[in-house]
Amino acid sequence: MTLEVSKNRYNQCKKDGDYYENLFKKKVLSIGLNYKKGSNNDDWYRHIDCYVNGFGVDVKGNRHLETIWLELKNVNGNKGWLQGDAFYVAMYIVELKIFSIYKRLDLLNYIKANAKYYTESKKEYNKFYTRKKWGKKDVLLKYRYDDIKHLEIKQL
């Protein structure tokens, strides 16, 4: 990947992230909850985008009914957002036009109890997906919304 392509990808991801974080903020404020934007340190190192009524929330955008990626380790091999400090994870499900709210630890405990095998195919579900053959150190898991819906605590 060239530097220019990498920079463009970063800029698009930042733009998308900002869009979904602002959409989440509007929804939270519209129902009378307290909202506070997290610091850059919170975002980068703790995986917390904002605080709602004092609880850390990691906001994820652009999720789909058939494809929800959960990040156990990031591309550098560090703790992914499932192992961050957020209390809640808010995922925007495009087809439903809602944020699906989960307790982060519920998602982490679910994958620890249910995922057993590794794969290098991004087509497989409920497996630890790695991109080691491309020099990446991330570990992700792919689920369908229906697979984790029972863990959802609220829709917003």
mmCIF file of all heavy atoms in Angstrom, residues 63 66-74 80-83 91 107-119 121-131 138-145 147-148:
data_model
loop_
_atom_site.group_PDB
_atom_site.id
_atom_site.type_symbol
_atom_site.label_atom_id
_atom_site.label_comp_id
_atom_site.label_asym_id
_atom_site.label_seq_id
_atom_site.Cartn_x
_atom_site.Cartn_y
_atom_site.Cartn_z
ATOM 1 N N ARG A 63 -21.719 -0.807 10.545
ATOM 2 C CA ARG A 63 -21.826 -2.251 10.746
ATOM 3 C C ARG A 63 -23.040 -2.745 9.974
ATOM 4 O O ARG A 63 -23.987 -2.004 9.731
ATOM 5 C CB ARG A 63 -21.972 -2.602 12.239
ATOM 6 C CG ARG A 63 -20.796 -2.160 13.107
ATOM 7 C CD ARG A 63 -19.483 -2.670 12.553
ATOM 8 N NE ARG A 63 -18.378 -2.551 13.471
ATOM 9 C CZ ARG A 63 -17.381 -1.703 13.340
ATOM 10 N NH1 ARG A 63 -17.361 -0.846 12.358
ATOM 11 N NH2 ARG A 63 -16.385 -1.697 14.192
ATOM 12 N N GLU A 66 -25.070 -8.725 8.303
ATOM 13 C CA GLU A 66 -24.308 -9.932 7.990
ATOM 14 C C GLU A 66 -22.818 -9.824 8.307
ATOM 15 O O GLU A 66 -22.096 -10.798 8.178
ATOM 16 C CB GLU A 66 -24.491 -10.300 6.511
ATOM 17 C CG GLU A 66 -25.904 -10.737 6.169
ATOM 18 C CD GLU A 66 -26.324 -12.010 6.905
ATOM 19 O OE1 GLU A 66 -25.538 -12.983 6.921
ATOM 20 O OE2 GLU A 66 -27.431 -12.023 7.475
ATOM 21 N N THR A 67 -22.356 -8.638 8.701
ATOM 22 C CA THR A 67 -20.926 -8.472 8.957
ATOM 23 C C THR A 67 -20.682 -7.472 10.078
ATOM 24 O O THR A 67 -20.801 -6.266 9.885
ATOM 25 C CB THR A 67 -20.180 -7.989 7.691
ATOM 26 O OG1 THR A 67 -20.449 -8.883 6.616
ATOM 27 C CG2 THR A 67 -18.680 -7.933 7.934
ATOM 28 N N ILE A 68 -20.343 -8.008 11.224
ATOM 29 C CA ILE A 68 -19.913 -7.183 12.357
ATOM 30 C C ILE A 68 -18.562 -7.727 12.808
ATOM 31 O O ILE A 68 -18.460 -8.876 13.241
ATOM 32 C CB ILE A 68 -20.936 -7.228 13.514
ATOM 33 C CG1 ILE A 68 -22.254 -6.596 13.074
ATOM 34 C CG2 ILE A 68 -20.365 -6.530 14.749
ATOM 35 C CD1 ILE A 68 -23.351 -6.660 14.111
ATOM 36 N N TRP A 69 -17.530 -6.901 12.646
ATOM 37 C CA TRP A 69 -16.191 -7.297 13.053
ATOM 38 C C TRP A 69 -15.939 -6.847 14.491
ATOM 39 O O TRP A 69 -16.193 -5.707 14.842
ATOM 40 C CB TRP A 69 -15.141 -6.663 12.144
ATOM 41 C CG TRP A 69 -15.102 -7.270 10.775
ATOM 42 C CD1 TRP A 69 -15.656 -6.757 9.644
ATOM 43 C CD2 TRP A 69 -14.481 -8.506 10.402
ATOM 44 N NE1 TRP A 69 -15.414 -7.602 8.582
ATOM 45 C CE2 TRP A 69 -14.696 -8.682 9.026
ATOM 46 C CE3 TRP A 69 -13.768 -9.477 11.097
ATOM 47 C CZ2 TRP A 69 -14.221 -9.784 8.328
ATOM 48 C CZ3 TRP A 69 -13.299 -10.575 10.408
ATOM 49 C CH2 TRP A 69 -13.518 -10.728 9.038
ATOM 50 N N LEU A 70 -15.435 -7.770 15.303
ATOM 51 C CA LEU A 70 -15.043 -7.482 16.678
ATOM 52 C C LEU A 70 -13.518 -7.583 16.748
ATOM 53 O O LEU A 70 -12.936 -8.568 16.293
ATOM 54 C CB LEU A 70 -15.687 -8.478 17.646
ATOM 55 C CG LEU A 70 -17.209 -8.628 17.566
ATOM 56 C CD1 LEU A 70 -17.694 -9.641 18.599
ATOM 57 C CD2 LEU A 70 -17.904 -7.303 17.756
ATOM 58 N N GLU A 71 -12.875 -6.568 17.331
ATOM 59 C CA GLU A 71 -11.415 -6.476 17.332
ATOM 60 C C GLU A 71 -10.828 -6.880 18.683
ATOM 61 O O GLU A 71 -10.967 -6.158 19.665
ATOM 62 C CB GLU A 71 -11.014 -5.034 16.989
ATOM 63 C CG GLU A 71 -9.513 -4.824 16.942
ATOM 64 C CD GLU A 71 -9.156 -3.353 16.831
ATOM 65 O OE1 GLU A 71 -9.401 -2.595 17.802
ATOM 66 O OE2 GLU A 71 -8.641 -2.968 15.773
ATOM 67 N N LEU A 72 -10.156 -8.017 18.697
ATOM 68 C CA LEU A 72 -9.481 -8.473 19.909
ATOM 69 C C LEU A 72 -8.090 -7.842 20.026
ATOM 70 O O LEU A 72 -7.691 -7.384 21.093
ATOM 71 C CB LEU A 72 -9.376 -10.001 19.906
ATOM 72 C CG LEU A 72 -8.915 -10.654 21.190
ATOM 73 C CD1 LEU A 72 -9.865 -10.342 22.342
ATOM 74 C CD2 LEU A 72 -8.795 -12.159 21.009
ATOM 75 N N LYS A 73 -7.351 -7.807 18.905
ATOM 76 C CA LYS A 73 -6.039 -7.144 18.855
ATOM 77 C C LYS A 73 -6.017 -6.240 17.629
ATOM 78 O O LYS A 73 -6.568 -6.593 16.584
ATOM 79 C CB LYS A 73 -4.902 -8.157 18.753
ATOM 80 C CG LYS A 73 -4.707 -8.962 20.016
ATOM 81 C CD LYS A 73 -3.457 -9.805 19.943
ATOM 82 C CE LYS A 73 -3.278 -10.556 21.254
ATOM 83 N NZ LYS A 73 -2.026 -11.294 21.291
ATOM 84 N N ASN A 74 -5.368 -5.088 17.770
ATOM 85 C CA ASN A 74 -5.312 -4.172 16.636
ATOM 86 C C ASN A 74 -4.208 -4.575 15.657
ATOM 87 O O ASN A 74 -3.484 -5.551 15.883
ATOM 88 C CB ASN A 74 -5.202 -2.715 17.100
ATOM 89 C CG ASN A 74 -3.862 -2.379 17.714
ATOM 90 O OD1 ASN A 74 -2.867 -3.070 17.554
ATOM 91 N ND2 ASN A 74 -3.834 -1.274 18.440
ATOM 92 N N GLY A 80 -7.067 -4.655 21.215
ATOM 93 C CA GLY A 80 -8.104 -4.070 20.376
ATOM 94 C C GLY A 80 -9.213 -3.509 21.251
ATOM 95 O O GLY A 80 -9.162 -3.592 22.484
ATOM 96 N N TRP A 81 -10.244 -2.956 20.604
ATOM 97 C CA TRP A 81 -11.288 -2.282 21.382
ATOM 98 C C TRP A 81 -12.063 -3.217 22.292
ATOM 99 O O TRP A 81 -12.600 -2.772 23.296
ATOM 100 C CB TRP A 81 -12.193 -1.450 20.479
ATOM 101 C CG TRP A 81 -12.922 -2.164 19.394
ATOM 102 C CD1 TRP A 81 -12.579 -2.248 18.074
ATOM 103 C CD2 TRP A 81 -14.171 -2.859 19.510
ATOM 104 N NE1 TRP A 81 -13.511 -2.960 17.373
ATOM 105 C CE2 TRP A 81 -14.508 -3.349 18.234
ATOM 106 C CE3 TRP A 81 -15.035 -3.124 20.573
ATOM 107 C CZ2 TRP A 81 -15.660 -4.084 17.984
ATOM 108 C CZ3 TRP A 81 -16.186 -3.858 20.326
ATOM 109 C CH2 TRP A 81 -16.489 -4.328 19.048
ATOM 110 N N LEU A 82 -12.109 -4.510 21.995
ATOM 111 C CA LEU A 82 -12.780 -5.451 22.909
ATOM 112 C C LEU A 82 -12.055 -5.535 24.256
ATOM 113 O O LEU A 82 -12.655 -5.896 25.259
ATOM 114 C CB LEU A 82 -12.844 -6.855 22.313
ATOM 115 C CG LEU A 82 -13.987 -7.170 21.383
ATOM 116 C CD1 LEU A 82 -13.842 -8.588 20.832
ATOM 117 C CD2 LEU A 82 -15.336 -7.009 22.061
ATOM 118 N N GLN A 83 -10.776 -5.210 24.257
ATOM 119 C CA GLN A 83 -9.982 -5.255 25.483
ATOM 120 C C GLN A 83 -9.681 -3.853 26.014
ATOM 121 O O GLN A 83 -8.819 -3.675 26.874
ATOM 122 C CB GLN A 83 -8.669 -5.999 25.227
ATOM 123 C CG GLN A 83 -8.890 -7.444 24.815
ATOM 124 C CD GLN A 83 -7.582 -8.166 24.646
ATOM 125 O OE1 GLN A 83 -7.006 -8.646 25.625
ATOM 126 N NE2 GLN A 83 -7.099 -8.233 23.413
ATOM 127 N N MET A 91 -22.776 0.220 18.328
ATOM 128 C CA MET A 91 -22.536 -0.103 16.916
ATOM 129 C C MET A 91 -23.710 0.355 16.070
ATOM 130 O O MET A 91 -24.855 -0.027 16.340
ATOM 131 C CB MET A 91 -22.391 -1.613 16.741
ATOM 132 C CG MET A 91 -21.221 -2.225 17.428
ATOM 133 S SD MET A 91 -21.127 -3.971 16.998
ATOM 134 C CE MET A 91 -20.473 -4.633 18.504
ATOM 135 N N LEU A 107 -19.496 -8.792 25.215
ATOM 136 C CA LEU A 107 -18.976 -9.217 23.908
ATOM 137 C C LEU A 107 -17.668 -9.979 24.066
ATOM 138 O O LEU A 107 -17.471 -11.035 23.457
ATOM 139 C CB LEU A 107 -18.767 -8.004 23.001
ATOM 140 C CG LEU A 107 -20.017 -7.286 22.529
ATOM 141 C CD1 LEU A 107 -19.650 -5.954 21.867
ATOM 142 C CD2 LEU A 107 -20.815 -8.150 21.567
ATOM 143 N N LEU A 108 -16.777 -9.459 24.895
ATOM 144 C CA LEU A 108 -15.486 -10.119 25.111
ATOM 145 C C LEU A 108 -15.672 -11.508 25.705
ATOM 146 O O LEU A 108 -15.078 -12.484 25.231
ATOM 147 C CB LEU A 108 -14.604 -9.258 26.023
ATOM 148 C CG LEU A 108 -13.215 -9.808 26.336
ATOM 149 C CD1 LEU A 108 -12.390 -10.010 25.083
ATOM 150 C CD2 LEU A 108 -12.489 -8.880 27.319
ATOM 151 N N ASN A 109 -16.510 -11.623 26.718
ATOM 152 C CA ASN A 109 -16.751 -12.934 27.332
ATOM 153 C C ASN A 109 -17.419 -13.901 26.362
ATOM 154 O O ASN A 109 -17.129 -15.100 26.381
ATOM 155 C CB ASN A 109 -17.579 -12.775 28.602
ATOM 156 C CG ASN A 109 -16.785 -12.108 29.711
ATOM 157 O OD1 ASN A 109 -15.562 -12.204 29.770
ATOM 158 N ND2 ASN A 109 -17.474 -11.403 30.590
ATOM 159 N N TYR A 110 -18.292 -13.386 25.518
ATOM 160 C CA TYR A 110 -18.972 -14.232 24.524
ATOM 161 C C TYR A 110 -17.961 -14.837 23.544
ATOM 162 O O TYR A 110 -17.995 -16.034 23.284
ATOM 163 C CB TYR A 110 -20.025 -13.416 23.768
ATOM 164 C CG TYR A 110 -20.740 -14.213 22.709
ATOM 165 C CD1 TYR A 110 -21.722 -15.138 23.059
ATOM 166 C CD2 TYR A 110 -20.438 -14.046 21.368
ATOM 167 C CE1 TYR A 110 -22.381 -15.878 22.093
ATOM 168 C CE2 TYR A 110 -21.090 -14.777 20.396
ATOM 169 C CZ TYR A 110 -22.058 -15.695 20.761
ATOM 170 O OH TYR A 110 -22.698 -16.439 19.789
ATOM 171 N N ILE A 111 -17.056 -14.028 23.029
ATOM 172 C CA ILE A 111 -16.106 -14.586 22.065
ATOM 173 C C ILE A 111 -15.119 -15.539 22.745
ATOM 174 O O ILE A 111 -14.730 -16.541 22.171
ATOM 175 C CB ILE A 111 -15.369 -13.500 21.254
ATOM 176 C CG1 ILE A 111 -14.471 -12.650 22.125
ATOM 177 C CG2 ILE A 111 -16.324 -12.655 20.453
ATOM 178 C CD1 ILE A 111 -13.108 -12.490 21.558
ATOM 179 N N LYS A 112 -14.756 -15.232 23.976
ATOM 180 C CA LYS A 112 -13.849 -16.134 24.695
ATOM 181 C C LYS A 112 -14.488 -17.496 24.920
ATOM 182 O O LYS A 112 -13.801 -18.519 24.893
ATOM 183 C CB LYS A 112 -13.430 -15.522 26.034
ATOM 184 C CG LYS A 112 -12.409 -14.418 25.895
ATOM 185 C CD LYS A 112 -12.004 -13.881 27.260
ATOM 186 C CE LYS A 112 -10.881 -12.875 27.156
ATOM 187 N NZ LYS A 112 -10.465 -12.373 28.483
ATOM 188 N N ALA A 113 -15.794 -17.512 25.138
ATOM 189 C CA ALA A 113 -16.496 -18.773 25.398
ATOM 190 C C ALA A 113 -16.862 -19.520 24.119
ATOM 191 O O ALA A 113 -17.027 -20.744 24.159
ATOM 192 C CB ALA A 113 -17.774 -18.497 26.200
ATOM 193 N N ASN A 114 -16.960 -18.821 22.996
ATOM 194 C CA ASN A 114 -17.517 -19.450 21.793
ATOM 195 C C ASN A 114 -16.565 -19.601 20.617
ATOM 196 O O ASN A 114 -16.761 -20.489 19.794
ATOM 197 C CB ASN A 114 -18.759 -18.679 21.340
ATOM 198 C CG ASN A 114 -19.884 -18.839 22.321
ATOM 199 O OD1 ASN A 114 -20.483 -19.891 22.427
ATOM 200 N ND2 ASN A 114 -20.153 -17.790 23.090
ATOM 201 N N ALA A 115 -15.572 -18.764 20.500
ATOM 202 C CA ALA A 115 -14.643 -18.868 19.375
ATOM 203 C C ALA A 115 -13.480 -19.773 19.759
ATOM 204 O O ALA A 115 -12.861 -19.578 20.808
ATOM 205 C CB ALA A 115 -14.138 -17.485 18.979
ATOM 206 N N LYS A 116 -13.207 -20.753 18.942
ATOM 207 C CA LYS A 116 -12.166 -21.737 19.286
ATOM 208 C C LYS A 116 -11.076 -21.858 18.232
ATOM 209 O O LYS A 116 -9.980 -22.307 18.523
ATOM 210 C CB LYS A 116 -12.798 -23.130 19.476
ATOM 211 C CG LYS A 116 -13.920 -23.177 20.489
ATOM 212 C CD LYS A 116 -13.427 -23.009 21.894
ATOM 213 C CE LYS A 116 -14.577 -23.144 22.862
ATOM 214 N NZ LYS A 116 -14.508 -22.289 23.998
ATOM 215 N N TYR A 117 -11.349 -21.494 16.989
ATOM 216 C CA TYR A 117 -10.434 -21.785 15.896
ATOM 217 C C TYR A 117 -9.948 -20.508 15.224
ATOM 218 O O TYR A 117 -10.604 -19.471 15.261
ATOM 219 C CB TYR A 117 -11.118 -22.683 14.856
ATOM 220 C CG TYR A 117 -11.599 -23.966 15.452
ATOM 221 C CD1 TYR A 117 -12.947 -24.147 15.758
ATOM 222 C CD2 TYR A 117 -10.709 -24.999 15.745
ATOM 223 C CE1 TYR A 117 -13.392 -25.333 16.335
ATOM 224 C CE2 TYR A 117 -11.150 -26.187 16.321
ATOM 225 C CZ TYR A 117 -12.490 -26.345 16.611
ATOM 226 O OH TYR A 117 -12.918 -27.502 17.185
ATOM 227 N N TYR A 118 -8.785 -20.625 14.582
ATOM 228 C CA TYR A 118 -8.210 -19.516 13.821
ATOM 229 C C TYR A 118 -8.437 -19.745 12.334
ATOM 230 O O TYR A 118 -8.545 -20.879 11.880
ATOM 231 C CB TYR A 118 -6.707 -19.397 14.095
ATOM 232 C CG TYR A 118 -6.409 -18.719 15.403
ATOM 233 C CD1 TYR A 118 -6.478 -19.423 16.606
ATOM 234 C CD2 TYR A 118 -6.087 -17.375 15.452
ATOM 235 C CE1 TYR A 118 -6.216 -18.793 17.817
ATOM 236 C CE2 TYR A 118 -5.822 -16.738 16.650
ATOM 237 C CZ TYR A 118 -5.891 -17.450 17.822
ATOM 238 O OH TYR A 118 -5.642 -16.840 19.015
ATOM 239 N N THR A 119 -8.498 -18.644 11.591
ATOM 240 C CA THR A 119 -8.662 -18.720 10.145
ATOM 241 C C THR A 119 -7.942 -17.549 9.487
ATOM 242 O O THR A 119 -7.706 -16.522 10.128
ATOM 243 C CB THR A 119 -10.166 -18.700 9.744
ATOM 244 O OG1 THR A 119 -10.280 -18.868 8.335
ATOM 245 C CG2 THR A 119 -10.847 -17.403 10.156
ATOM 246 N N SER A 121 -9.279 -16.773 6.437
ATOM 247 C CA SER A 121 -10.349 -16.441 5.496
ATOM 248 C C SER A 121 -11.331 -15.474 6.147
ATOM 249 O O SER A 121 -11.941 -15.805 7.170
ATOM 250 C CB SER A 121 -11.099 -17.711 5.071
ATOM 251 O OG SER A 121 -12.267 -17.367 4.358
ATOM 252 N N LYS A 122 -11.515 -14.321 5.525
ATOM 253 C CA LYS A 122 -12.449 -13.344 6.099
ATOM 254 C C LYS A 122 -13.904 -13.708 5.835
ATOM 255 O O LYS A 122 -14.809 -12.999 6.248
ATOM 256 C CB LYS A 122 -12.134 -11.933 5.611
ATOM 257 C CG LYS A 122 -12.264 -11.708 4.137
ATOM 258 C CD LYS A 122 -11.853 -10.281 3.811
ATOM 259 C CE LYS A 122 -11.875 -10.045 2.322
ATOM 260 N NZ LYS A 122 -11.461 -8.687 2.000
ATOM 261 N N LYS A 123 -14.140 -14.828 5.196
ATOM 262 C CA LYS A 123 -15.505 -15.282 4.920
ATOM 263 C C LYS A 123 -16.091 -16.094 6.074
ATOM 264 O O LYS A 123 -17.284 -16.297 6.143
ATOM 265 C CB LYS A 123 -15.538 -16.123 3.643
ATOM 266 C CG LYS A 123 -15.191 -15.329 2.406
ATOM 267 C CD LYS A 123 -15.227 -16.175 1.164
ATOM 268 C CE LYS A 123 -14.857 -15.325 -0.045
ATOM 269 N NZ LYS A 123 -14.920 -16.091 -1.283
ATOM 270 N N GLU A 124 -15.247 -16.546 6.993
ATOM 271 C CA GLU A 124 -15.709 -17.424 8.069
ATOM 272 C C GLU A 124 -16.163 -16.619 9.289
ATOM 273 O O GLU A 124 -15.606 -15.577 9.601
ATOM 274 C CB GLU A 124 -14.598 -18.391 8.461
ATOM 275 C CG GLU A 124 -14.233 -19.334 7.326
ATOM 276 C CD GLU A 124 -13.297 -20.420 7.773
ATOM 277 O OE1 GLU A 124 -13.699 -21.190 8.678
ATOM 278 O OE2 GLU A 124 -12.178 -20.501 7.235
ATOM 279 N N TYR A 125 -17.169 -17.165 9.960
ATOM 280 C CA TYR A 125 -17.744 -16.532 11.147
ATOM 281 C C TYR A 125 -17.285 -17.240 12.413
ATOM 282 O O TYR A 125 -16.971 -18.427 12.399
ATOM 283 C CB TYR A 125 -19.276 -16.584 11.086
ATOM 284 C CG TYR A 125 -19.867 -15.695 10.026
ATOM 285 C CD1 TYR A 125 -20.046 -16.159 8.727
ATOM 286 C CD2 TYR A 125 -20.251 -14.387 10.312
ATOM 287 C CE1 TYR A 125 -20.584 -15.340 7.743
ATOM 288 C CE2 TYR A 125 -20.789 -13.562 9.334
ATOM 289 C CZ TYR A 125 -20.948 -14.054 8.057
ATOM 290 O OH TYR A 125 -21.485 -13.239 7.090
ATOM 291 N N ASN A 126 -17.300 -16.495 13.531
ATOM 292 C CA ASN A 126 -17.032 -17.027 14.859
ATOM 293 C C ASN A 126 -15.667 -17.716 14.956
ATOM 294 O O ASN A 126 -15.517 -18.723 15.624
ATOM 295 C CB ASN A 126 -18.157 -17.983 15.298
ATOM 296 C CG ASN A 126 -18.126 -18.263 16.781
ATOM 297 O OD1 ASN A 126 -17.716 -17.431 17.577
ATOM 298 N ND2 ASN A 126 -18.555 -19.451 17.164
ATOM 299 N N LYS A 127 -14.694 -17.150 14.259
ATOM 300 C CA LYS A 127 -13.326 -17.658 14.329
ATOM 301 C C LYS A 127 -12.379 -16.471 14.463
ATOM 302 O O LYS A 127 -12.690 -15.364 14.043
ATOM 303 C CB LYS A 127 -12.974 -18.464 13.071
ATOM 304 C CG LYS A 127 -13.752 -19.758 12.975
ATOM 305 C CD LYS A 127 -13.332 -20.571 11.786
ATOM 306 C CE LYS A 127 -14.146 -21.855 11.749
ATOM 307 N NZ LYS A 127 -13.860 -22.631 10.563
ATOM 308 N N PHE A 128 -11.229 -16.724 15.045
ATOM 309 C CA PHE A 128 -10.204 -15.701 15.185
ATOM 310 C C PHE A 128 -9.538 -15.510 13.821
ATOM 311 O O PHE A 128 -8.802 -16.376 13.361
ATOM 312 C CB PHE A 128 -9.164 -16.105 16.223
ATOM 313 C CG PHE A 128 -9.728 -16.263 17.608
ATOM 314 C CD1 PHE A 128 -9.983 -17.520 18.132
ATOM 315 C CD2 PHE A 128 -10.001 -15.152 18.394
ATOM 316 C CE1 PHE A 128 -10.498 -17.676 19.416
ATOM 317 C CE2 PHE A 128 -10.510 -15.288 19.682
ATOM 318 C CZ PHE A 128 -10.765 -16.549 20.184
ATOM 319 N N TYR A 129 -9.828 -14.389 13.186
ATOM 320 C CA TYR A 129 -9.292 -14.093 11.854
ATOM 321 C C TYR A 129 -7.986 -13.328 11.997
ATOM 322 O O TYR A 129 -7.921 -12.331 12.720
ATOM 323 C CB TYR A 129 -10.314 -13.267 11.067
ATOM 324 C CG TYR A 129 -9.807 -12.675 9.778
ATOM 325 C CD1 TYR A 129 -9.435 -13.482 8.706
ATOM 326 C CD2 TYR A 129 -9.701 -11.297 9.628
ATOM 327 C CE1 TYR A 129 -8.983 -12.935 7.520
ATOM 328 C CE2 TYR A 129 -9.249 -10.729 8.445
ATOM 329 C CZ TYR A 129 -8.887 -11.556 7.398
ATOM 330 O OH TYR A 129 -8.437 -11.007 6.223
ATOM 331 N N THR A 130 -6.951 -13.809 11.315
ATOM 332 C CA THR A 130 -5.657 -13.117 11.333
ATOM 333 C C THR A 130 -5.212 -12.817 9.909
ATOM 334 O O THR A 130 -5.620 -13.473 8.957
ATOM 335 C CB THR A 130 -4.563 -13.963 12.021
ATOM 336 O OG1 THR A 130 -4.275 -15.097 11.197
ATOM 337 C CG2 THR A 130 -4.997 -14.420 13.404
ATOM 338 N N ARG A 131 -4.350 -11.805 9.822
ATOM 339 C CA ARG A 131 -3.754 -11.439 8.527
ATOM 340 C C ARG A 131 -2.233 -11.525 8.631
ATOM 341 O O ARG A 131 -1.510 -10.714 8.079
ATOM 342 C CB ARG A 131 -4.214 -10.041 8.120
ATOM 343 C CG ARG A 131 -5.717 -9.939 7.997
ATOM 344 C CD ARG A 131 -6.172 -8.588 7.490
ATOM 345 N NE ARG A 131 -5.875 -7.526 8.454
ATOM 346 C CZ ARG A 131 -6.051 -6.221 8.202
ATOM 347 N NH1 ARG A 131 -6.518 -5.834 7.035
ATOM 348 N NH2 ARG A 131 -5.769 -5.320 9.111
ATOM 349 N N ASP A 138 -3.172 -8.134 13.778
ATOM 350 C CA ASP A 138 -4.516 -8.023 14.343
ATOM 351 C C ASP A 138 -5.201 -9.383 14.464
ATOM 352 O O ASP A 138 -4.851 -10.342 13.785
ATOM 353 C CB ASP A 138 -5.397 -7.045 13.549
ATOM 354 C CG ASP A 138 -5.374 -7.275 12.043
ATOM 355 O OD1 ASP A 138 -4.637 -8.150 11.556
ATOM 356 O OD2 ASP A 138 -6.099 -6.547 11.351
ATOM 357 N N VAL A 139 -6.154 -9.446 15.379
ATOM 358 C CA VAL A 139 -7.011 -10.618 15.553
ATOM 359 C C VAL A 139 -8.443 -10.091 15.640
ATOM 360 O O VAL A 139 -8.776 -9.300 16.526
ATOM 361 C CB VAL A 139 -6.660 -11.425 16.821
ATOM 362 C CG1 VAL A 139 -7.612 -12.598 16.986
ATOM 363 C CG2 VAL A 139 -5.207 -11.900 16.786
ATOM 364 N N LEU A 140 -9.254 -10.501 14.690
ATOM 365 C CA LEU A 140 -10.637 -10.040 14.573
ATOM 366 C C LEU A 140 -11.563 -11.239 14.543
ATOM 367 O O LEU A 140 -11.146 -12.350 14.235
ATOM 368 C CB LEU A 140 -10.824 -9.232 13.276
ATOM 369 C CG LEU A 140 -9.841 -8.105 13.016
ATOM 370 C CD1 LEU A 140 -9.881 -7.687 11.558
ATOM 371 C CD2 LEU A 140 -10.152 -6.932 13.905
ATOM 372 N N LEU A 141 -12.825 -10.998 14.839
ATOM 373 C CA LEU A 141 -13.842 -12.044 14.734
ATOM 374 C C LEU A 141 -15.032 -11.469 13.988
ATOM 375 O O LEU A 141 -15.436 -10.338 14.226
ATOM 376 C CB LEU A 141 -14.288 -12.517 16.117
ATOM 377 C CG LEU A 141 -13.187 -13.174 16.929
ATOM 378 C CD1 LEU A 141 -12.612 -12.192 17.918
ATOM 379 C CD2 LEU A 141 -13.681 -14.404 17.608
ATOM 380 N N LYS A 142 -15.581 -12.252 13.088
ATOM 381 C CA LYS A 142 -16.711 -11.817 12.272
ATOM 382 C C LYS A 142 -17.984 -12.499 12.777
ATOM 383 O O LYS A 142 -18.015 -13.719 12.960
ATOM 384 C CB LYS A 142 -16.459 -12.189 10.811
ATOM 385 C CG LYS A 142 -17.528 -11.755 9.850
ATOM 386 C CD LYS A 142 -17.135 -12.185 8.435
ATOM 387 C CE LYS A 142 -18.162 -11.820 7.421
ATOM 388 N NZ LYS A 142 -17.760 -12.282 6.072
ATOM 389 N N TYR A 143 -19.017 -11.676 12.975
ATOM 390 C CA TYR A 143 -20.313 -12.182 13.424
ATOM 391 C C TYR A 143 -21.427 -11.549 12.611
ATOM 392 O O TYR A 143 -21.250 -10.497 12.009
ATOM 393 C CB TYR A 143 -20.545 -11.858 14.916
ATOM 394 C CG TYR A 143 -19.706 -12.703 15.828
ATOM 395 C CD1 TYR A 143 -18.471 -12.252 16.289
ATOM 396 C CD2 TYR A 143 -20.128 -13.959 16.211
ATOM 397 C CE1 TYR A 143 -17.686 -13.033 17.104
ATOM 398 C CE2 TYR A 143 -19.338 -14.748 17.036
ATOM 399 C CZ TYR A 143 -18.127 -14.281 17.478
ATOM 400 O OH TYR A 143 -17.359 -15.068 18.279
ATOM 401 N N ARG A 144 -22.557 -12.197 12.643
ATOM 402 C CA ARG A 144 -23.791 -11.612 12.131
ATOM 403 C C ARG A 144 -24.493 -10.937 13.314
ATOM 404 O O ARG A 144 -24.318 -11.343 14.461
ATOM 405 C CB ARG A 144 -24.705 -12.692 11.547
ATOM 406 C CG ARG A 144 -24.170 -13.354 10.312
ATOM 407 C CD ARG A 144 -25.082 -14.518 9.860
ATOM 408 N NE ARG A 144 -24.510 -15.207 8.732
ATOM 409 C CZ ARG A 144 -23.658 -16.229 8.818
ATOM 410 N NH1 ARG A 144 -23.276 -16.678 9.994
ATOM 411 N NH2 ARG A 144 -23.179 -16.799 7.731
ATOM 412 N N TYR A 145 -25.303 -9.949 13.022
ATOM 413 C CA TYR A 145 -26.064 -9.266 14.071
ATOM 414 C C TYR A 145 -26.869 -10.274 14.879
ATOM 415 O O TYR A 145 -26.892 -10.216 16.111
ATOM 416 C CB TYR A 145 -26.968 -8.202 13.428
ATOM 417 C CG TYR A 145 -27.923 -7.547 14.390
ATOM 418 C CD1 TYR A 145 -27.470 -6.670 15.369
ATOM 419 C CD2 TYR A 145 -29.287 -7.807 14.313
ATOM 420 C CE1 TYR A 145 -28.352 -6.070 16.251
ATOM 421 C CE2 TYR A 145 -30.169 -7.205 15.191
ATOM 422 C CZ TYR A 145 -29.697 -6.338 16.158
ATOM 423 O OH TYR A 145 -30.574 -5.754 17.029
ATOM 424 N N ASP A 147 -26.219 -13.236 15.616
ATOM 425 C CA ASP A 147 -25.355 -14.038 16.495
ATOM 426 C C ASP A 147 -25.150 -13.382 17.857
ATOM 427 O O ASP A 147 -24.952 -14.073 18.854
ATOM 428 C CB ASP A 147 -23.971 -14.247 15.863
ATOM 429 C CG ASP A 147 -24.002 -15.052 14.583
ATOM 430 O OD1 ASP A 147 -24.937 -15.852 14.392
ATOM 431 O OD2 ASP A 147 -23.079 -14.869 13.767
ATOM 432 N N ILE A 148 -25.161 -12.050 17.883
ATOM 433 C CA ILE A 148 -24.847 -11.337 19.131
ATOM 434 C C ILE A 148 -26.027 -10.502 19.637
ATOM 435 O O ILE A 148 -25.917 -9.851 20.672
ATOM 436 C CB ILE A 148 -23.585 -10.459 18.980
ATOM 437 C CG1 ILE A 148 -23.756 -9.407 17.879
ATOM 438 C CG2 ILE A 148 -22.355 -11.323 18.746
ATOM 439 C CD1 ILE A 148 -22.632 -8.396 17.805
#
